[in-house]
Amino acid sequence: MYSDDELYDCTYNHSDENYRKERLKLFPIDVWVFIILSPLTFFGTSKIVYQFLKDTKLFGIPGDSVFVITITNQILSIVQFSTAIYVLINEEAPLMNAFCKITGLATSIVFVISNLNIFVYAAYPLALVYNALKSTARLLRIFNYSLVIIIILIVIIENDIVTPTLNGICAISATNSEIMDLIISISYLLIFLLFGSMSVIYVITLKKLIPKESTMRKARGQFLRHYQRFIGFSLIMKFLLGIFSAINLLNCYKFHQSWLEVSETLQNIIQALCILGQTIIIFNDSSLKLTINNQQISDDTKEISLQQFNVLEQLHKEMKKTQITSMLAGVQILRRIKQEDVIQYKDLIINEDQDGSGSNSSQGDLSELMDTFSQPFTIEEIEECLVTNINNEILKEKLNINIEIQVFSMRCILYAPKIFNYFITLDNIDIEDCFDLIKNSSIIDQFTGPDGGKSGEFFFFSYNNQLIIKTMRQSEVNAYKKRLYNFATYQFNNHQSLINKIYGMYTFERQEKSNLRVHFLIMKNISLGIPRNQILRTYDMKGSEYDREVLANKPSSDLSKMTLKDLDFFKIETQIWIEESISKKLNQSLINDAKFLERQQLIDYSLLIMIIDWNQKETQLQKYLDGQQINIIPSIKEKGIYYHIAIIDYLQQWNVNKSLERKTKKIITMNMQLDTSAQEPNIYGKRFQDKLINRIVPLK
């Protein structure tokens, strides 16, 4: 037998097996708890895993976290059950053998991965609010794979790192140092205190920022009930585990009281109850539909589509619908505000260094043209804004809508209303009709925030496809506000410019949280609302050759359903086939536009060309051709075929990020002469003219 001091010496000698048999053991109650509860957990988790594999739509957000938590609980139940059987057979806790190393590795991986996923699961509501669900899920997967690899490597490198713990379960033992063990124990408690605090904050945030109206009320309540149950239970159980783990260490190092050994048993019981309880809560999650046959789902349930999507994804979609409804309502209300309500909003004036472009030009870059150009606008008009608030009550009052439509409570800002109104009137654009809430209701119902490309912004097409709403990054807002006077003056004096017009720029601020802002613009859809099946081919071209081919990987695809690029155009079309007199005008207009954008220090703009079949609706096309022949040009090769042309995406500034992007691509490809898309404005503009404009619209 050993003395009390020796018994409670936690830095025991690994080679002393008699000591280990004396000190490291499972109490009988631990064994029977594991034998009884572990199979229940295993069968429950197996059912959940089967449901995920059967219905892959359950993966995603936060399905990935739920699935990983389930798998880790299943592994831990196997470890607990096998350890209990080992003790019954050998009448002692696992020693430093192969069984201990295998179960210890599994326990350690499960501990880290499970707690990480529970923590991230708690953070999903915040990711939802800030529209970061996809990036959160992607990062989680990277962390999961990385941590598993790191833990396995640690075990391989350090042979003796897996040992029996004080409560008889094998795991990674980071240290035999008293100070380090106490630090780890305290850190464990602090982590779960933080975990608990953040969970409460997330729930409050979700309740506050997600409206209660429409199907969101049902979806929000459905998610929150299950979410709070799971997080609350996990928080309590994990906190208890932290307490008992701390007691074990303190007893080992400080107290040396045999009656406190019961904390080891309690730690094992709490761990078994924790994974079983989590399994039961997940099993009862209505989004998994583990207990309901799909044929028995009511119409009310189908409205939320829980059998196909998890609730958080549905909330995300509902928020997008409410967001676009709010945007359309705000546009209509701002259009009805009297001009005398215009205010000077000085806060919107851009400082020289705010956009990070490195350029000191503010309202210049047109000085050489000022003598010959008319100047219909004033700098003061650039600084004017229309500002109003909207909510459900204002919506009903201002728009006289009888049907139930829900919007966020927001402050809405329209920049430079006089200037944008000039171009709206000039082009005879009916914005109120295009974005009428009733006429767009079916489009809104189907809206889920389509991806706008690499930027992650989304597009919304009006019901008649005449106009587009596109969300903007803050850098784009800064770039356009800073150059708005230049753009307005240039387009006023160049009616045949092919720079796609912007008919309004807006900022909406959610009143619940002022830093939640949405910036967006309204611009023309150059297809003019033609049905998609009449758009034969669409090209987005920049004048670069690097990574500017789509058909190389999809040679047999339907071209009408793709956005093709530079190399595709030159292989299929060679050039634009139009009359020579129009060709000269088009070439000159495009070159003028490219030079203007170069002076504005802008890059990355594209020439968008749509080849459209107007054979069936050529009479309808005539109303668009008056004064705009340069934008919509008939082909001389095929009757009824027209080229629709515009320069788009022209609000990207040359900055440090773009410079790094160019250098990185050159390094990756090991080609310092690589003609990347990102180039300095003068180089980009010259390439746009020489390698694109002069090739597709050659002058004879």
Side-chain angles (χ1 to χ4, degrees):
M1 289 291 294
Y2 290 82
S3 67
D4 284 346
D5 288 339
E6 291 175 317
L7 182 63
Y8 288 103
D9 180 8
C10 297
T11 58
Y12 54 82
N13 185 344
H14 288 271
S15 63
D16 191 340
E17 289 195 5
N18 290 326
Y19 174 85
R20 291 162 52 71
K21 291 179 182 179
E22 178 85 23
R23 178 67 192 90
L24 303 169
K25 61 182 180 296
L26 286 176
F27 289 92
I29 189 172
D30 304 44
V31 174
W32 292 109
V33 165
F34 285 167
I35 288 176
I36 294 171
L37 298 186
S38 296
L40 296 177
T41 302
F42 178 81
F43 288 118
T45 53
S46 298
K47 175 65 175 175
I48 297 169
V49 170
Y50 170 77
Q51 188 66 18
F52 267 88
L53 298 178
K54 179 182 176 183
D55 184 3
T56 55
K57 292 177 181 177
L58 293 171
F59 286 100
I61 308 163
D64 283 356
S65 285
V66 173
F67 182 75
V68 172
I69 292 169
T70 300
I71 289 292
T72 55
N73 286 346
Q74 186 176 53
I75 294 172
L76 193 53
S77 70
I78 295 172
V79 170
Q80 290 177 344
F81 187 79
S82 59
T83 301
I85 297 299
Y86 182 99
V87 172
L88 287 177
I89 294 174
N90 295 282
E91 296 184 348
E92 64 180 15
L95 303 176
M96 286 292 293
N97 51 28
F99 177 85
C100 187
K101 287 190 175 182
I102 293 171
T103 57
L105 177 61
T107 301
S108 300
I109 292 175
V110 163
F111 174 80
V112 176
I113 300 298
S114 177
N115 287 300
L116 170 66
N117 281 268
I118 292 172
F119 190 82
V120 174
Y121 181 63
Y124 271 129
L126 200 61
L128 165 68
V129 169
Y130 287 99
N131 195 26
L133 290 174
K134 291 184 179 179
S135 57
T136 303
R138 185 165 54 250
L139 285 173
L140 178 63
R141 290 173 182 173
I142 293 172
F143 274 121
N144 282 336
Y145 295 137
S146 301
L147 286 171
V148 170
I149 293 171
I150 290 171
I151 293 171
I152 292 174
L153 288 176
I154 289 173
V155 172
I156 293 174
I157 294 171
E158 185 62 54
N159 289 327
D160 294 332
I161 199 168
V162 174
T163 62
T165 60
L166 295 176
N167 58 324
I169 302 292
C170 291
I172 288 179
S173 175
T175 177
N176 285 323
S177 164
E178 177 180 357
I179 295 176
M180 289 305 298
D181 278 349
L182 290 175
I183 290 174
I184 290 171
S185 179
I186 293 171
S187 300
Y188 184 85
L189 284 173
L190 291 176
I191 286 172
F192 283 106
L193 282 174
L194 177 63
F195 165 72
S197 301
M198 290 184 69
S199 302
V200 173
I201 292 172
Y202 295 148
V203 170
I204 294 173
T205 303
L206 190 67
K207 284 184 175 180
K208 184 176 181 181
L209 295 181
I210 297 183
K212 301 177 182 178
E213 297 83 7
S214 188
T215 55
M216 274 191 292
R217 175 187 297 173
K218 192 177 297 182
R220 187 187 79 154
Q222 184 77 49
F223 173 74
L224 278 179
R225 281 193 296 274
H226 176 265
Y227 172 85
Q228 289 173 305
R229 192 181 302 123
F230 182 88
I231 296 299
F233 175 80
S234 299
L235 172 63
I236 293 171
M237 301 304 282
K238 295 290 185 178
F239 186 66
L240 289 175
L241 285 172
I243 290 176
F244 291 131
S245 176
I247 291 174
N248 290 340
L249 282 173
L250 289 171
N251 190 43
C252 192
Y253 286 116
K254 299 295 182 184
F255 303 145
H256 300 173
Q257 299 295 318
S258 58
W259 63 272
L260 284 177
E261 288 184 351
V262 70
S263 63
E264 299 166 11
T265 294
L266 291 174
Q267 184 177 348
N268 286 330
I269 293 174
I270 292 297
Q271 182 63 61
L273 290 173
C274 178
I275 62 174
L276 177 61
Q278 287 177 341
T279 302
I280 292 172
I281 294 172
I282 293 173
F283 191 88
N284 289 322
D285 182 0
S286 58
S287 65
L288 296 177
K289 290 298 168 190
L290 294 169
T291 57
I292 300 179
N293 192 307
N294 283 342
Q295 283 74 25
Q296 298 174 334
I297 297 175
S298 65
D299 291 337
D300 185 54
T301 306
K302 287 182 180 179
E303 180 185 2
I304 304 182
S305 303
L306 290 179
Q307 75 275 24
Q308 296 181 7
F309 306 101
N310 62 61
V311 185
L312 201 56
E313 282 182 325
Q314 184 62 20
L315 280 171
H316 186 248
K317 292 175 182 178
E318 291 293 337
M319 284 191 71
K320 284 291 186 184
K321 291 178 183 177
T322 303
Q323 177 177 310
I324 197 62
T325 301
S326 304
M327 292 160 73
L328 299 188
V331 169
Q332 285 189 282
I333 291 173
L334 283 166
R335 291 288 300 163
R336 297 185 181 190
I337 294 178
K338 297 178 181 179
Q339 198 65 44
E340 53 264 30
D341 293 331
V342 168
I343 66 169
Q344 291 292 117
Y345 196 17
K346 295 294 185 181
D347 290 346
L348 299 178
I349 298 176
I350 301 299
N351 296 326
E352 295 301 334
D353 59 349
Q354 187 171 342
D355 61 11
S357 65
S359 169
N360 291 324
S361 63
S362 180
Q363 304 296 346
D365 291 344
L366 288 180
S367 56
E368 67 208 59
L369 303 173
M370 287 303 181
D371 292 337
T372 57
F373 271 27
S374 299
Q375 300 178 49
F377 311 114
T378 65
I379 298 297
E380 288 71 24
E381 288 173 328
I382 301 296
E383 299 170 3
E384 290 177 348
C385 291
L386 283 175
V387 182
T388 189
N389 294 322
I390 68 165
N391 53 41
N392 291 319
E393 290 70 28
I394 294 175
L395 174 66
K396 293 178 182 178
E397 176 188 342
K398 296 286 187 182
L399 301 184
N400 194 26
I401 296 176
N402 295 323
I403 64 173
E404 187 70 19
I405 294 178
Q406 304 295 336
V407 296
F408 293 125
S409 295
M410 299 190 301
R411 183 173 72 149
C412 311
I413 303 168
L414 166 60
Y415 302 95
K418 291 180 182 178
I419 293 175
F420 286 122
N421 193 58
Y422 168 81
F423 291 109
I424 290 169
T425 304
L426 179 69
D427 294 345
N428 195 26
I429 302 296
D430 191 343
I431 286 184
E432 282 200 61
D433 177 72
C434 288
F435 295 127
D436 181 274
L437 285 172
I438 306 300
K439 294 179 180 178
N440 282 281
S441 58
S442 60
I443 308 295
I444 294 172
D445 288 340
Q446 301 168 15
F447 182 74
T448 56
D451 185 11
K454 293 181 180 179
S455 67
E457 309 299 330
F458 69 75
F459 293 100
F460 178 85
F461 292 80
S462 63
Y463 78 95
N464 54 13
N465 277 329
Q466 299 292 315
L467 296 177
I468 302 172
I469 282 180
K470 178 183 180 294
T471 53
M472 307 171 69
R473 299 186 299 273
Q474 183 64 55
S475 60
E476 293 177 319
V477 175
N478 293 345
Y480 194 60
K481 283 192 297 187
K482 183 175 180 179
R483 297 164 175 83
L484 180 52
Y485 179 81
N486 295 355
F487 271 97
T489 304
Y490 179 80
Q491 291 180 312
F492 176 88
N493 288 280
N494 292 271
H495 291 292
Q496 291 193 332
S497 169
L498 288 104
I499 296 175
N500 202 30
K501 281 197 184 82
I502 293 175
Y503 293 121
M505 186 168 69
Y506 301 79
T507 292
F508 284 3
E509 297 176 349
R510 291 276 295 277
Q511 289 182 354
E512 301 95 333
K513 202 171 182 64
S514 60
N515 63 350
L516 286 180
R517 295 185 178 92
V518 177
H519 307 290
F520 66 94
L521 55 81
I522 294 174
M523 62 184 179
K524 180 192 295 183
N525 182 4
I526 73 165
S527 73
L528 301 179
I530 194 75
R532 184 69 189 176
N533 59 4
Q534 290 177 238
I535 302 176
L536 304 181
R537 294 176 294 281
T538 301
Y539 296 94
D540 182 307
M541 297 183 286
K542 297 179 181 291
S544 170
E545 295 185 358
Y546 173 69
D547 196 25
R548 301 300 298 170
E549 185 174 14
V550 174
L551 293 180
N553 299 321
K554 304 175 182 178
S556 61
S557 302
D558 183 353
L559 300 186
S560 66
K561 297 180 180 179
M562 307 168 63
T563 299
L564 305 170
K565 296 183 180 180
D566 301 61
L567 297 180
D568 303 310
F569 180 90
F570 295 120
K571 285 183 180 179
I572 299 171
E573 317 292 344
T574 308
Q575 66 177 72
I576 294 176
W577 303 97
I578 57 178
E579 291 183 5
E580 185 176 349
S581 59
I582 301 177
S583 180
K584 291 180 180 178
K585 292 181 182 179
L586 178 62
N587 181 284
Q588 189 58 53
S589 293
L590 286 171
I591 287 178
N592 288 341
D593 290 342
K595 288 181 177 178
F596 168 74
L597 294 173
E598 180 184 332
R599 288 194 298 273
Q600 301 308 304
Q601 295 292 293
L602 297 171
I603 63 166
D604 225 19
Y605 40 89
S606 300
L607 183 65
L608 183 67
I609 299 180
M610 288 184 171
I611 301 176
I612 297 180
D613 181 0
W614 279 95
N615 274 302
Q616 303 301 318
K617 297 189 177 184
E618 201 152 9
T619 55
Q620 179 183 333
L621 176 63
Q622 297 308 311
K623 67 177 182 179
Y624 298 114
L625 293 179
D626 184 25
Q628 296 192 52
Q629 292 88 342
I630 205 70
N631 299 84
I632 307 167
I633 311 172
S635 168
I636 59 174
K637 289 186 69 175
E638 301 174 85
K639 187 179 184 303
I641 303 300
Y642 285 77
Y643 297 101
H644 291 232
I645 306 170
I647 294 177
I648 63 170
D649 296 339
Y650 46 80
L651 297 181
Q652 177 64 57
Q653 303 168 96
W654 175 255
N655 52 31
V656 174
N657 290 337
K658 283 296 178 180
S659 178
L660 289 174
E661 176 188 330
R662 181 184 63 177
K663 292 175 182 177
T664 301
K665 287 180 179 178
K666 288 183 177 183
I667 292 171
I668 291 174
T669 59
M670 301 296 288
N671 181 4
M672 293 299 105
Q673 305 303 316
L674 185 68
D675 186 24
T676 61
S677 176
Q679 296 286 349
E680 294 176 8
N682 60 326
I683 299 175
Y684 192 96
K686 188 176 188 306
R687 185 184 66 188
F688 195 81
Q689 297 171 53
D690 296 341
K691 294 189 176 182
L692 184 58
I693 298 173
N694 291 332
R695 286 187 67 184
I696 68 170
V697 194
L699 296 178
K700 296 180 181 178

